[in-house]
Amino acid sequence: MKRTFSVAPMLDWTDRHYRYFARLISREALLYTEMVTTGAIIHGKGDYLAFNEEEHPLALQLGGSNPQDLAHCAKLAAERGYDEVNLNVGCPSDRVQNGRFGACLMAEPALVAECVTAMRDVVDIPVTVKTRIGIDEQDSYGFLTDFVGTVAEAGCDIFTIHARKAWLKGLSPKENREIPELNYDRAYQIKRDFSALNISVNGGVKSLDECEVHLQHLDGVMVGREAYQDPYMMAGVDSRLYGATSTPLSRAQVVERMIPYLERHIAQGGRANHVTRHMLGLFNGMPGARQWRRYLAQNAHLPGADAQILAAALASLPADAQAA
């Protein structure tokens, strides 16, 4: 499984509807679930592991710090058909810290290593780690190398590094995506010092041009908000980053493919806006982009809204946008 380009796990954003939509745009990108806690999987009433078969390659991101619970959930994920299990060691929110997982685990590399070992003992799929470059005042390069080295000794050979340290106190999760400044050189140096590891970088990447720059130094690039807010930027991923020769679906073709998906969702009791909210940015940069967003925002939440809302929104656009 190639990790050249992946879409970041984003809470409330990268749900199964977004992932189905994203897969229509790129066949090669590695997709991640939202972070799911071990407690939700083990004790929750919903099916937190559900996904569409079309989403592969697909990784489950887990939040937790109990090795036995993580191993149990990793085994369930492998049995359900996930292609990878990823441990979240990057989220800085207070709720996550109170549960003793996320970025605060960077201060406990031995525990992270124990968690990785427990998961690897029960699954054959890759067990990977997503982390920061540091936390609070523990942000030296030596701190990062100690963490990576300890976890790598437990058998983890795939890391995604969010190239920004996390402030565990005083900043919101949103502020932690913007403060302090990004330090891509730290990720580059980790790759130089641990050349046998597969290292991807995450944070602030806004274009495929930037991806190509990072790929001169690293094995992969993970893109978050840009892949959500301007999803059609992924239409160039397969050809530019994977060398594919197939032609991507046009925006209009993506909309047409989403109509039967939305029909199934509504038939199962879902609402139209559960799906359409992920599609608002599809026509970004195109004539009629504002009209597309407005039509869906004003109509998809209404009682009785059905799958034809997508066809109607497309028909409301200028002819050149409809053909894009």
Side-chain angles (χ1 to χ4, degrees):
M1 184 169 60
K2 297 179 181 178
R3 295 175 173 80
T4 307
F5 181 95
S6 59
V7 178
M10 292 177 284
L11 196 61
D12 297 326
W13 289 11
T14 53
D15 64 14
R16 59 187 300 186
H17 305 310
Y18 169 77
R19 299 191 306 263
Y20 185 94
F21 168 60
R23 179 59 69 217
L24 291 175
I25 301 172
S26 170
R27 298 178 183 177
E28 300 291 344
L30 172 59
L31 303 179
Y32 280 78
T33 68
E34 307 167 88
M35 182 188 70
V36 185
T37 65
T38 55
I41 294 172
I42 296 171
H43 305 294
K45 296 181 179 180
D47 183 0
Y48 290 92
L49 297 178
F51 64 91
N52 305 287
E53 285 299 320
E54 294 87 349
E55 295 172 34
H56 291 293
L58 176 65
L60 171 70
Q61 186 181 68
L62 287 173
S65 59
N66 180 290
Q68 290 72 39
D69 288 350
L70 285 165
H72 176 64
C73 292
K75 186 175 182 180
L76 291 176
E79 290 171 351
R80 290 290 289 272
Y82 279 90
D83 300 298
E84 173 188 316
V85 173
N86 177 266
L87 179 63
N88 183 314
V89 192
C91 182
S93 77
D94 291 339
R95 182 176 66 84
V96 166
Q97 292 179 57
N98 291 337
R100 198 189 176 199
F101 56 94
C104 64
L105 285 177
M106 285 200 76
E108 301 184 75
L111 175 58
V112 176
E114 185 180 351
C115 292
V116 166
T117 297
M119 289 187 283
R120 292 186 73 247
D121 284 346
V122 297
V123 301
D124 294 325
I125 60 176
V127 174
T128 70
V129 168
K130 185 174 187 290
T131 187
R132 295 277 186 141
I133 59 173
I135 51 173
D136 296 336
E137 303 303 330
Q138 297 173 290
D139 64 346
S140 68
Y141 182 67
F143 173 77
L144 180 59
T145 57
D146 287 346
F147 175 82
V148 171
T150 299
V151 178
E153 287 178 2
C156 179
D157 56 4
I158 302 168
F159 291 80
T160 298
I161 299 176
H162 186 152
R164 194 193 310 270
K165 78 171 180 178
W167 284 106
L168 300 182
K169 301 295 181 183
L171 291 182
S172 68
K174 180 179 185 299
E175 290 170 324
N176 261 294
R177 293 194 295 267
E178 301 167 356
I179 304 171
E181 294 183 359
L182 289 156
N183 188 343
Y184 295 126
D185 287 338
R186 286 279 175 91
Y188 296 171
Q189 189 63 50
I190 285 290
K191 178 60 183 179
R192 288 193 289 268
D193 292 343
F194 296 87
S195 60
L197 300 181
N198 184 293
I199 304 293
S200 295
V201 72
N202 170 231
V205 181
K206 297 183 180 301
S207 70
L208 296 187
D209 288 342
E210 293 178 35
C211 289
E212 290 178 333
V213 172
H214 291 307
L215 289 170
Q216 295 176 20
H217 306 274
L218 300 163
D219 302 293
V221 181
M222 176 179 279
V223 178
R225 282 172 289 173
E226 196 67 23
Y228 188 91
Q229 295 167 354
D230 185 14
Y232 203 70
M233 64 90 72
M234 292 185 287
V237 163
D238 296 1
S239 58
R240 289 183 61 174
L241 305 185
Y242 288 87
T245 57
S246 56
T247 302
L249 296 178
S250 68
R251 292 174 177 85
Q253 288 173 324
V254 170
V255 174
E256 290 165 0
R257 297 281 187 93
M258 286 300 295
I259 291 174
Y261 178 84
L262 182 53
E263 287 175 342
R264 292 194 298 272
H265 173 67
I266 293 173
Q268 294 165 0
R271 295 179 61 89
N273 62 323
H274 295 165
V275 175
T276 60
R277 71 186 184 94
H278 300 300
M279 302 175 64
L280 297 178
L282 180 59
F283 287 88
N284 274 7
M286 298 294 296
R290 183 177 298 179
Q291 170 64 18
W292 167 262
R293 292 193 299 269
R294 182 186 301 118
Y295 192 98
L296 291 180
Q298 291 178 347
N299 295 284
H301 70 284
L302 298 176
D306 62 20
Q308 291 309 307
I309 191 173
L310 290 176
L314 183 63
S316 75
L317 299 182
D320 51 351
Q322 292 185 40

